[in-house]
């Protein structure tokens, strides 16, 4: 650790893998996660400081304008992705002017990068292939040892060059920090950006539809085209389906849209009488918790995703709603107004062990964090509007992430538990924002229309 | 008061209502002229009469010359039967029920309104009414879905206690998604905390 030559983030195995470019199309499930002590070792010579990284534009050796432009996008997206996890100190890209361009993906002006203060540089290049596709090569170099921490090569189309950057970012975080990044994750939400008047007998009602976007807000795609109200979308565990509440057949019911198959189902038995809303997938993906009026009052139920094995979880004349699963799947947190105002409660999936979690003026939309964190984020009334708070279930300590700027609602965790997405009207319209679980790193990710009720993929 | 007035009309018009409903959608799409020539039946009614010869074509009748004392002013019998669901709902004989903040309790005023609506519904046993539960913008969107459901169910249950068949009543919650009045003040909020009646079938 005190030896400067050790520098940051190099293990023998990783350095070896740089010898030949690794073709990576799928992240390897069996990739070893470094032990904690190992991670400590590779942090570098500055104890308590983060290694400083630079991401210059990707080279386009052929000089094709579209590759030059793609190289700039790839580098910027990668820089943003790396900045997002805050594992590295990212040197701003507009400070690289003094550094001459690399001669190739492996021939870098290391001295100049050292002078700029970079400990690591991501070097990448884009080469057109005869079949019209493109080859992306990337290396992460240690500017002091001049070693390549690793190298990857992707090939594919230029249609969504951002995907290469996201893949590369996740790879760097995995190899350098043993961290599962979320650069390739997606966020579903509802928006009125394409709002039409809703079908029905009452005029002046506007639709909301379900959308998905990359975690950074790019690449927005519309999921529902129902000319009705659609709210509370949530991802299935495998990321291939979105469950949401829709009024497309009249009363609210839970629909599951299998987005890669174009298949839509409503397995929970909704009718004109039986209404279901606010679906939430169990961690193993086999069950859905939801709210239903089927026994005459809003209560929490769980059932398999095909509607079988239905079980009622709550039994109280108050409103019980907004269920969310614990990471292991043995407990459910939900909102209930049984003491007069909406508060967060936790109950076992067998209906036992009910306990109250919050003691505030008004709390809703609990979202249980993924492991290893054991906390629940929720919206809490703090004035005229709401703020995002997090309660640590081990200590019962509550920490606040937003502070009265607009009304902040509907938090949802990233798969690695380090970030949340929520909606806020702090800038006028309602928009989606990302924030770290420590309250740092606020980012706005939507701009068009009103966007709300986000769900982060798992 | 107007409930009784309506009742006398309704008993006679019930058969017409059913037949008009049977006559199909064509007659419900076209509103009758606002000031009809006494001899010219509405085009929609004409089409309906052709489609089903045994259907008595609704006769346009002049509006009452003397205005009824209290609002809402009910449409004339035959005009009523010829009107589309959209039109009936636009000038609905059923009044909304309002609620206190974060509550689905029915206070005395709410119960009076529900009683009046029950008096109307008794006269129109063929109507199916959807009771929509709505909330003001101050709650969270998720919790408000449950609160709206509770409001709709509270009104539905009260109507059933008053003797209306449950088959005539449906509920739906829209939470805070479809406010009636824009604005962020107590007047707007109060107007949006409601159970709203929509006649969904004649």
């Amino acid at each position: 650790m005190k030896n400067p030559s050790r520098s940051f983030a190099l293990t023998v195995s990783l350095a070896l893998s740089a010898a030949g470019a690794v073709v990576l199309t799928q992240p390897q499930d069996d990739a070893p996660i470094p032990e904690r002590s190992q991670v400590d070792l590779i942090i570098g010579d500055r104890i308590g400081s983060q290694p400083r990284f630079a991401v210059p534009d990707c080279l386009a050796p052929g000089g094709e304008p579209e590759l030059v432009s793609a190289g700039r996008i790839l580098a910027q997206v990668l820089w943003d992705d790396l900045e997002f996890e805050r594992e590295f100190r990212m040197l701003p890209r507009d400070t690289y002017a003094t550094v001459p361009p690399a001669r190739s993906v492996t021939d870098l002006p290391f001295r100049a990068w050292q002078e700029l203060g970079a400990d690591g540089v991501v070097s990448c290049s884009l080469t057109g292939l005869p079949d019209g596709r493109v080859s992306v090569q990337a290396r992460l170099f240690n500017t002091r040892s001049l070693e390549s921490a690793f190298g990857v090569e992707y090939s594919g189309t230029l249609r969504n060059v951002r995907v290469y950057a996201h893949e590369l970012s996740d790879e760097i975080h995995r190899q350098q920090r043993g961290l599962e990044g979320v650069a390739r994750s997606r966020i579903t939400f509802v928006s009125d950006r394409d709002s039409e008047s809703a079908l029905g007998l009452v005029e002046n009602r506007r639709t909301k539809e379900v959308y998905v976007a990359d975690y950074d807000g790019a690449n927005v795609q519309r999921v529902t085209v129902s000319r009705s109200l659609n709210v509370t979308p949530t991802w299935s565990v495998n990321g291939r389906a979105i469950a949401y509440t829709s009024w497309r057949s009249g009363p609210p019911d839970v629909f599951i849209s299998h987005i890669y198959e174009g298949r839509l189902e409503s397995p929970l038995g909704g009718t004109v009488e039986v209404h279901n809303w606010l679906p939430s997938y169990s961690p193993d993906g086999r069950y859905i918790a939801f709210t239903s009026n089927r026994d005459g009052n809003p209560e929490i139920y769980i059932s398999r995703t095909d509607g079988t094995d239905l079980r009622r979880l709550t039994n109280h004349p108050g409103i019980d709603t907004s269920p969310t699963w614990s990471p292991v799947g043995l407990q459910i947190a939900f909102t209930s107004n049984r003491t007069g105002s909406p508060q967060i409660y936790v109950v076992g999936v067998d209906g036992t062990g009910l306990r109250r979690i919050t003691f505030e003026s008004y709390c809703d939309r609990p979202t249980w964090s993924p492991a290893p964190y054991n906390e629940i984020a929720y919206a809490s009334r703090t004035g005229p509007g709401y703020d995002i708070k997090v309660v640590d279930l081990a200590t019962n300590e509550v920490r606040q992430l937003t502070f009265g700027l607009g009304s902040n609602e509907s938090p949802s965790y990233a798969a690695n538990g380090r970030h949340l997405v929520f909606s806020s009207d702090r800038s006028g319209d309602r928009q989606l924002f990302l924030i770290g679980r420590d309250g740092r790193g606020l980012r706005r990710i939507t701009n068009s229309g009103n966007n709300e009720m986000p769900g982060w993929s798992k | 008061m107007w409930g009784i007035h309506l009742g006398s009309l309704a008993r006679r018009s019930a058969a017409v209502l059913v037949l008009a409903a049977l006559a199909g959608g064509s007659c419900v799409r076209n509103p009758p002229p606002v000031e009809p020539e006494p001899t010219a039946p509405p085009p929609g009614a004409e089409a309906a009469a052709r489609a089903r010869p045994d259907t008595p074509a609704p006769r346009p009748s002049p509006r009452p010359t003397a205005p009824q004392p209290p609002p809402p002013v009910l449409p004339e019998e035959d005009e009523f039967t010829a009107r589309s669901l959209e039109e009936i709902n636009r000038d609905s004989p059923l009044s909304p029920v309002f609620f206190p903040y974060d509550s689905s309790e029915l206070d005395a005023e709410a119960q009076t309104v529900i009683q009046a609506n029950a008096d109307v519904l008794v006269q129109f046993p063929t109507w199916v009414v959807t009771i929509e539960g709505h909330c003001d913008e101050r709650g969270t969107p998720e919790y408000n879905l449950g609160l709206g459901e509770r409001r709709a169910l509270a009104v539905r249950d009260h109507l059933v206690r008053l003797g209306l068949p449950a088959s005539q009543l449906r509920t739906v919650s829209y939470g805070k998604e479809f406010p009636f009045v824009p604005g962020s003040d107590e007047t707007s909020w109060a107007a949006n905390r409601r159970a709203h009646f929509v006649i969904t079938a004649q």
Side-chain angles (χ1 to χ4, degrees):
Chain A
M1 202 132 68
K2 289 185 178 123
N3 179 353
S5 74
R6 274 232 135 117
S7 172
F8 73 95
L10 288 181
T11 66
V12 174
S13 64
L14 295 182
L16 281 177
S17 76
V22 180
V23 179
L24 253 181
T25 48
Q26 289 281 322
Q28 291 165 355
D29 290 331
D30 54 354
I33 296 169
E35 296 292 322
R36 190 69 217 171
S37 58
Q38 210 174 345
V39 173
D40 289 344
L41 257 183
I42 62 177
I43 281 176
D45 54 315
R46 287 185 200 80
I47 294 170
S49 74
Q50 300 158 307
R52 290 186 284 196
F53 275 24
V55 186
D57 289 349
C58 291
L59 304 171
E64 303 91 332
E66 73 272 17
L67 293 188
V68 170
S69 149
R72 191 170 301 125
I73 294 170
L74 200 162
Q76 184 61 53
V77 173
L78 175 59
W79 192 96
D80 292 340
D81 286 349
L82 294 173
E83 169 82 358
F84 180 65
E85 289 290 355
R86 288 185 270 133
E87 289 291 319
F88 311 109
R89 274 181 62 195
M90 300 306 296
L91 300 177
R93 277 172 39 82
D94 59 7
T95 63
Y96 303 165
T98 58
V99 179
R103 285 200 203 87
S104 77
V105 75
T106 53
D107 188 0
L108 276 64
F110 287 108
R111 292 289 299 277
W113 284 117
Q114 274 185 35
E115 272 178 11
L116 200 68
D119 300 309
V121 178
V122 178
S123 163
C124 49
S125 76
L126 291 165
T127 314
L129 298 174
D131 60 3
R133 297 187 309 153
V134 64
S135 163
V136 181
Q137 289 185 299
R139 298 277 194 288
L140 172 60
F141 279 103
N142 180 331
T143 60
R144 297 173 202 289
S145 67
L146 312 189
E147 290 170 293
S148 171
F150 73 90
V152 291
E153 183 170 342
Y154 313 117
S155 55
T157 68
L158 263 189
R159 223 175 52 205
N160 192 357
V161 69
R162 306 175 70 93
V163 170
Y164 302 120
H166 294 327
E167 177 80 45
L168 191 50
S169 169
D170 281 356
E171 199 59 35
I172 289 172
H173 282 123
R174 194 177 297 123
Q175 301 223 12
Q176 296 292 298
R177 302 308 244 195
L179 169 71
E180 283 304 318
V182 292
R184 294 187 68 202
S185 64
R186 307 203 80 196
I187 289 170
T188 181
F189 57 97
V190 300
S191 177
D192 64 1
R193 61 181 66 197
D194 302 312
S195 187
E196 305 165 280
S197 62
L199 297 170
L201 287 165
V202 181
E203 293 155 356
N204 298 320
R205 289 183 169 175
R206 308 298 294 177
T207 59
K208 290 179 180 176
E209 304 282 3
V210 176
Y211 296 76
V212 296
D214 293 349
Y215 93 98
D216 56 8
N219 197 18
V220 174
Q221 292 166 297
R222 183 168 166 180
V223 173
T224 58
V225 188
S226 66
R227 280 201 68 185
S228 66
L229 186 61
N230 303 276
V231 298
T232 72
T234 187
W235 289 94
S236 70
V237 173
N238 65 10
R240 297 189 60 81
I242 292 170
Y244 58 96
T245 309
S246 176
W247 283 253
R248 62 192 308 146
S249 52
D253 195 7
V254 169
F255 288 80
I256 301 177
S257 177
H258 298 266
I259 54 178
Y260 296 106
E261 301 156 38
R263 188 157 57 86
L264 186 68
E265 38 175 23
S266 51
L268 302 182
T271 65
V272 292
E273 311 261 297
V274 174
H275 308 163
N276 309 299
W277 64 99
L278 275 164
S280 170
Y281 279 95
S282 66
D284 65 7
R286 293 161 59 214
Y287 282 83
I288 288 182
F290 59 100
T291 312
S292 178
N293 71 345
R294 58 189 65 207
D295 293 308
N297 188 52
E299 304 282 358
I300 312 278
Y301 298 79
I302 60 178
S303 89
R304 286 187 188 271
T305 54
D306 63 2
T308 61
D309 195 13
L310 179 78
R311 294 181 231 169
R312 178 172 173 178
L313 213 59
T314 59
N315 190 346
H316 192 280
I319 297 169
D320 295 325
T321 186
S322 309
T324 175
W325 297 76
S326 69
V328 181
L330 293 179
Q331 297 181 90
I332 282 178
F334 64 99
T335 303
S336 176
N337 73 341
R338 54 188 64 199
T339 55
S341 65
Q343 302 291 341
I344 313 294
Y345 293 76
V346 167
V347 68
V349 287
D350 57 359
T352 64
L354 179 78
R355 68 184 198 275
R356 181 172 168 180
I357 301 296
T358 60
F359 297 84
E360 302 178 36
S361 89
Y362 184 125
C363 304
D364 187 30
R365 172 69 186 240
T367 309
W368 214 311
S369 71
Y373 309 106
N374 188 23
E375 55 194 26
I376 293 173
Y378 56 98
S380 172
R381 172 168 289 154
T382 51
Y386 297 81
D387 277 308
I388 306 300
K389 290 186 180 181
V390 175
V391 56
D392 184 318
L393 292 170
T395 61
N396 286 330
E397 271 172 37
V398 174
R399 62 180 196 275
Q400 191 167 335
L401 304 189
T402 63
F403 294 90
L405 203 54
S407 187
N408 306 289
E409 302 171 15
S410 308
S412 173
Y413 273 98
N416 67 7
R418 292 158 59 106
H419 316 273
L420 297 106
V421 58
F422 64 96
S423 80
S424 177
D425 61 359
R426 60 181 63 200
S427 46
D429 290 339
R430 187 156 285 279
Q431 301 296 346
L432 301 185
F433 292 79
L434 310 183
I435 198 169
R437 62 179 282 280
D438 57 3
R440 292 169 57 210
L442 185 78
R443 279 192 189 195
R444 174 170 162 177
I445 60 163
T446 55
N447 295 294
S448 170
N450 289 282
N451 305 282
E452 57 182 329
M453 291 182 261
W456 208 321
S457 62
K458 292 158 178 131
Chain B
M1 188 158 49
W2 50 269
I4 294 159
H5 165 69
L6 175 69
S8 59
L9 295 172
R11 261 184 289 281
R12 287 186 285 124
S13 64
V16 181
L17 264 173
V18 174
L19 290 169
L22 285 173
S26 59
C27 69
V28 301
R29 289 281 143 66
N30 301 308
V34 179
E35 289 172 320
E37 286 294 315
T39 50
E46 225 173 48
R50 274 199 305 275
R52 199 171 247 266
D54 56 345
T55 305
R59 308 176 307 279
S61 19
R63 283 181 171 277
T65 44
Q68 298 295 311
V73 178
L74 282 177
E76 274 293 324
E77 165 196 1
D78 294 335
E79 212 176 324
F80 210 44
T81 64
R83 293 175 87 181
S84 68
L85 283 173
E86 283 88 346
E87 290 170 302
I88 296 174
N89 281 307
R90 202 173 293 144
D91 189 19
S92 180
L94 302 169
S95 304
V97 178
F98 295 100
F99 292 87
Y101 172 70
D102 192 17
S103 168
S104 52
E105 302 282 315
L106 300 171
D107 60 18
E109 195 184 331
Q111 294 185 28
T112 308
V113 174
I114 296 172
Q115 179 67 61
N117 287 344
D119 292 341
V120 175
L121 290 173
V122 157
Q123 312 301 331
F124 292 90
T126 59
W127 282 8
V128 175
V129 171
T130 298
I131 304 160
E132 301 179 342
H134 295 272
C135 308
D136 74 30
E137 64 174 11
R138 287 177 295 172
T140 53
E142 294 89 357
Y143 175 79
N144 274 346
L145 296 175
L147 180 59
E149 183 77 33
R150 284 278 301 216
R151 286 178 175 162
L153 288 171
V155 172
R156 198 267 315 261
D157 293 349
H158 196 78
L159 283 167
V160 169
R161 277 197 296 276
L162 292 175
L164 265 102
S167 58
Q168 207 179 342
L169 306 169
R170 290 176 182 166
T171 62
V172 63
S173 170
Y174 289 115
K176 65 171 180 178
E177 304 301 330
F178 291 146
F180 289 81
V181 182
S184 299
D185 51 67
E186 184 44 56
T187 314
S188 311
W189 293 330
N192 290 329
R193 292 191 299 265
R194 67 161 90 185
H196 187 79
F197 288 76
V198 178
I199 300 148
T200 39
Q202 280 168 300

